[in-house]
Every structure is written in structure tokens, then in C-alpha cells.
Amino acid sequence: MHGRLKVKTTEEQQKAKQEERAKKLKLYTAATSKAFQKRKAGELDTELLEITGQVLHVNPDFYTFWNIRKETFLHLHDAKESAELQKLYRGELDFLEMCLKVNPKSYGTWHHRSFVMDHMPQPDWARELELCNLFLQFDERNFHCWDYRRFVVKRSKVAAVEEFDFTTSKISSNFSNFSSWHYRSKLLPILHPDPTQPSGIAPHVIQSEFELVQNGLYTDPDDQSNWFYHKWLLGRGEQNQRINYAYISCVKKQILVSFTKAIKIGVASCEVLLNKSKVNVTWTNQNGTSAFSTLWISFPEFICL
Amino acid sequence: MGTPVKDITLPDNAPKTLLLQKHADYIAAYGNKKDDYEYIMTEYLRMNGMYWGLTALSLAGQLDRMDKKEVISFAKSCQTEGGGVACSVGHDPHMLSTLSAVQILTLYDAVDNLNVETLVSWVAGLQQDDGSFSGDKWGEVDTRFSFCAVACLSLLGRLDAINVDKAVDFVLSCMNFDGGFGCRPGSESHSGQIYCCVGLLAITGYLHKINTDQLGWWLCERQLPSGGLNGRPEKLPDVCYSWWVLASMAAIGRLHWIDKDKLRAFMLACQDEETGGFADRPGDMVDPFHTLFGLAGLSLLGDESVQPVNPVYCMPENIIRRLNLSTTDDAENS
Ligand SMILES: [Zn+2]
């Protein structure tokens, strides 16, 4: 439970609450048992949509009921004409919008919406993007909505540049917008790829992003979003795998190799050549296991001259 | 003109010591109120709820207060024909409730009460071509379900049933500019998802793929002046997020990057002196979910009156040791 303040109540208030709850409970148990019954009997119809809807509207995490609705829709595909189906699905989208207004952060509701869009005869993707705009206006950090937006963008092939412009408008109205900065970090390598750079992004774009985030830092030096993005722009070089040092002891009959990045030698084998001839060696890491490590040791059976 | 930092102030009269016995009593009594409104309305997460409660009691060293037989027969009755476990009898199987069921039965060393073979093949059957996992047959993909699958199979010693390398690759494809992880490739970093992804990499022996300093920095910046940790930048502190952040930091060896005393004070302030139990924030309603994460968090912070907890599985450390499971890269259980 989140953000539910504990309040002191009088006995009278408690009694009233209990009565109200008893009433709700009666409706709830009647609806749930009827829905399960109908499902068992194979009565996948609009009445079942009605009943499960009553419960989901207040209890959107009741995942089995979303499943029942999906089953019902798939069943109706065989029974209904396309126009009628379209109408039913449109009604489902309206219902979902109502649910999202009550609880905009339910995984099940958002996933069901993507199911509906993937199954209705004529999905209106532009309308979905508008819906995302609306919900991001209510809460610009709702990651469920951002993820649904990325689903819509993918399905309807919205250009990356349009999404980039959307984040720009979000940031210009509020620099403290971690979700938008995050999205930019994903869009930049698509919009301005440059494989010659360690960042994979064209240098002039890094420069202009740098100026933008600097404005944010001046406006709001305590805001973390800007600083995280700033750090990301500054350093994105990837370290290459190489050998730091190799130590060979004839006395201990031991070879010790240190790598820049963790490696599993069993997979990418490390060959030892002695006087141009291959020596058979078994490698273990410093703990004597074969798990990923930067340090590898072997005790080869060769004789030093 | 700056955005004000979102935080709370700890009330002066908030609890300052751990009320362990009250929490144990609260949890032990919770399951007895089966006609309670709250209890009935949360049927869709009963199995998860039982895991929270039973684990909290184990950490308090009082698991024997629950009716073991009843718990086992409930978990057993929720397994469906296809192998997956539902949250309650009559509901549909789901990855979340399946992991909870396996965790509960592992606490009791009684997984044999489930049909392990069908369960393993049900979980394995939900792995997608890209290595990801869906939560059930309806196809919702999320890194939470990747963790559930891997944690569940490792507890059963059956990681061989899935393609571990692909599961790891999918999780790595969800890594972000800040070193954290989100639900799916492209999704924003979120402490809950980070916990899941770090956990998966810990179990499979791939923690070295994480940029430890970068992720550690993002995680330790979750601490607010009140001492509590939030789940994402510019959010309020919360006991459950405090656990997810703290456990992730423990898994990557950066626990010392936060102010432990201040976090401890925040967590203690979230206890309810009257009823027992922890809330998300001081003064809110308590629930078993936050009670578990409060106790587990205090355990990680070194409170010796609570049993040591394993940060990856969120189960008592002695159970994880009994199974000989490792959550560092030196593991060879993958
Ligand atoms: Zn919480």
C-alpha cells in the first residue's frame, strides 16, 4: 500500500466505514464468483465483460480478470462481424481510459491496452499517441505511460526525430525531467549515429546537448536529472580487452595474467606459446574456479631452461 | 529558481528502536483475519502476501508460529495443471506467484510438494526468442519476470532448463545511460527493476557486466536528507524502495556508499507502535509487504536481532547457504 495516511477515526466513523465495506464486499464476492462461474461454463460474452469490468475498475491488479477479458475478446472474434468487433474494442479502450484515470500505474491495465491495440480491426494509433501526451501531462514521470508510448511509436513507426522533439518540449517546460533525458539517451544514437566516436554519436550533437543540459544546471543546480545526463555526455569511452601484465615464474611453475576486463578463459581460450610451441595449460581464476574474472592463473607442466 | 527536493521530515515522536516482537505478532495475526475486507480484496496477490509474511517471520526467527501444513497444502493447491502456480485457488498461473510459491516451500524445505517437473517446464516455456520472459501466456515481457524465472529455477537447481546466456543478454540490453535497468529495452531505470536485473546477473555469475561505480553512484544518490531512499530521481522516500536500492548495492559491493545510520533511523520511523508492522513512510498504514522489506533492510544494515538476509533472493541467508547457492561472480552454479 502506498501513500495511505493512517487517520484516527471515531467509533461512529468506524461503524459507517465497516457498513460501507460490508456492502462493497458483498458486491465484490458476488461479481467474482459469477465471473469465474461463467468462465467455467464457457459463457464468454458481453455480460462477462460487464462483470469483470466492475471489479477491475476498482481493483486493476486482479490480473486473472484481464485474462478473462482477453479470452472473451478472442472468442468474440469468431462470433462477431468486423464492424461490431471494432465497436466492442472501442468500448474497451474507453473503459481502459476510465481505469487509467483511477489508477494510472497498474501494469495490467497498460498491458491490456496494448493487447487491444494489437487485436482490434482498425487501430487508431494517432489517438493513442494523443492519449500518451495527455497522461504525461498529468504525470511526466509515469514510466508505464512512457513505455506504452514507446510501444505505440514502434507499432505506428513514428519518426525518432518527432519523439526527440517531444522530449525537447518536455524539457523546455521543466528541466527536472529524468524520463525525458533518459529517452534522449536512447534516441540520439538512432538519430545521429557515428561509429567512429567512442560514444557512437556525432560530436556536434554531443556539443549541443551539452549546452542544453548546462542551461538546466544553471536553472536548477540541485536537480539530479541534469547531472546524470551531464556525466553521461562527458564520458562514454569503452575499455578494450587487453592484457595488463603477464607474470611467469619458473621456480613456482606458474603463469599469472591480468586482463583489463573480466573474462572467462574456458570460453575465449588463452593460448600459451613457449619457444613457438603450444603448451597445454588449464586456467582458473584467483578463487580456483572458472567463473568470470580479471585474474587468471595456471600451473603448466613445462621445464624452464 | 530550483525544484524543491521531494522528501519528508521524520516526526520527533517516531519510534527509534526496533519493535521486532510487535511485527512478528502483526504478521502472525494477519492470516487469521480471513473475513477481513483488506484480506479478501487482496486475493489476487495471496501467494506473494504469504511469501512476504512468512519471510518476515523467518527473519524475526519465529516461522514456527505459522501452520506449516496449511501453508504447504495451500501452495500445492494453487499449482495448475500446466505447472505454473496461481496466486489463489481458481486464479490463473503467473510468474510472480510461482516464484513466491517456490520461495515459501524452500523456507520449509518442502518443494517436493509441488510437481517440480511441470513447474520447471512451464517457466522455461515462457522464455522468448530474445531471451526475455513473459509473466504468463499473455505475453507481457518485463525484466521482473526474467528475475522470477531465474531465481525460481536456481532455487530448484534447474537453471539448465533455460538458455541462461540469452536471459543475461536480454537483461543487459535493458541497461541505461545511468548504469541502471528498466522493464524492457528502452525503459527508464527504476530501483525495482534494477534489483531484479542485478539479482539475475548475481545468480548467473555475470555481475562483472555491470558498471559498478556508475550504477553505485545512481543508487546511492537515492538517499534523501531524511535518510530514506527513493526509487527514482525526484521521488519520495519509501521503505520498499529503500530495500531494493540497498539490496542492489549489497549485491554489487557498494553498501558502504550510503549513510547507514540515517537510513536506519528512517526505517525505524516507519514502524507503527500501536499495531506493529512497517508502512511506506512514517504515519501511513502498515502492510506485510513493507514489513518484510523493513526487516530485511535493517538486517542488511547489520541489525543483529534480525536474522541475516540474502540480498538477492530476499530470503534468510542460512536457507540460501543450505542450497549452496552463490550470488557473487565466483559462483559456479550457472
Ligand atoms: Zn513502498
Side-chain angles (χ1 to χ4, degrees), chain A residues 2, chain B residues 238-241 280 289-290:
Chain A
H2 283 112
Chain B
D238 183 325
V239 163
C240 71
Y241 287 110
D280 58 347
F289 176 78
H290 288 96

Side-chain angles (χ1 to χ4, degrees), chain B residues 212-230:
Chain B
T212 308
D213 286 348
Q214 194 185 19
L215 176 59
W217 181 47
W218 191 90
L219 288 169
C220 75
E221 286 287 345
R222 300 303 105 244
Q223 189 161 38
L224 294 160
S226 66
L229 314 184
N230 61 14

Side-chain angles (χ1 to χ4, degrees), chain A residues 1-8 17 20-22 24-25 28-29 32 36 39 58-68 70-71 74 105 107-108 111 115 139-144 146-148 150 174-183 185-186 218-232 235-236 261-264 285-293, chain B residues 1-5 30 35-38 40-45 85-94 97 136-142 144 173-178 183-190 193 205-206 208-209 213-214 217-219 221-224 232-235 238 240-241 272 274-275 279-290 329-332 334:
Chain A
M1 251 172 289
H2 283 112
R4 261 191 33 191
L5 200 67
K6 182 179 173 182
V7 276
K8 288 256 175 267
K17 195 177 175 186
E20 189 203 310
R21 284 186 150 189
K24 270 197 205 164
L25 210 52
Y28 171 86
T29 35
T32 44
F36 279 126
R39 181 199 216 185
V58 284
N59 218 338
D61 295 326
F62 199 124
Y63 66 92
T64 303
F65 275 16
W66 289 120
N67 298 348
I68 293 181
K70 291 186 182 79
E71 281 168 14
L74 292 180
K105 292 182 176 174
Y107 285 97
H111 179 254
F115 170 89
D139 176 4
E140 60 190 9
R141 296 295 305 289
N142 183 343
F143 71 88
H144 301 274
W146 280 106
D147 280 343
Y148 183 70
R150 281 182 274 268
N174 179 12
F175 274 111
S176 171
N177 195 328
F178 196 80
S179 308
S180 290
W181 291 116
H182 159 80
Y183 200 9
S185 80
K186 296 286 175 193
Y218 289 129
T219 317
D220 199 347
D222 290 331
D223 184 76
Q224 293 187 359
S225 319
N226 300 320
W227 287 109
F228 280 113
Y229 195 67
H230 182 262
K231 170 144 194 279
W232 176 69
R236 303 227 306 133
K261 285 164 74 171
I263 189 171
K264 201 169 182 171
N285 66 19
Q286 73 277 20
N287 296 311
T289 76
S290 61
F292 278 95
S293 175
Chain B
M1 183 200 72
T3 324
V5 175
Y30 192 83
D35 300 321
D36 199 63
Y37 178 80
E38 216 57 80
I40 296 171
M41 293 299 268
T42 51
E43 190 178 86
Y44 63 87
L45 40 80
V85 183
C87 60
S88 280
V89 179
H91 291 241
D92 290 349
H94 197 278
S97 37
D136 59 18
K137 67 170 183 173
W138 294 104
E140 182 185 6
V141 164
D142 192 306
R144 285 180 303 150
S173 76
C174 298
M175 196 192 277
N176 290 321
F177 79 107
D178 46 32
C183 301
R184 287 177 285 279
S187 304
E188 180 182 341
S189 296
H190 176 288
Q193 314 288 150
Y206 281 87
H208 61 278
K209 293 284 186 186
D213 286 348
Q214 194 185 19
W217 181 47
W218 191 90
L219 288 169
E221 286 287 345
R222 300 303 105 244
Q223 189 161 38
L224 294 160
R232 290 189 288 157
E234 328 305 341
K235 294 279 178 186
D238 183 325
C240 71
Y241 287 110
D272 189 320
E274 281 172 4
T275 60
D280 58 347
R281 284 182 278 282
D284 281 355
M285 302 279 283
V286 299
D287 58 67
F289 176 78
H290 288 96
D329 267 8
D330 294 314
E332 278 194 298
S334 59

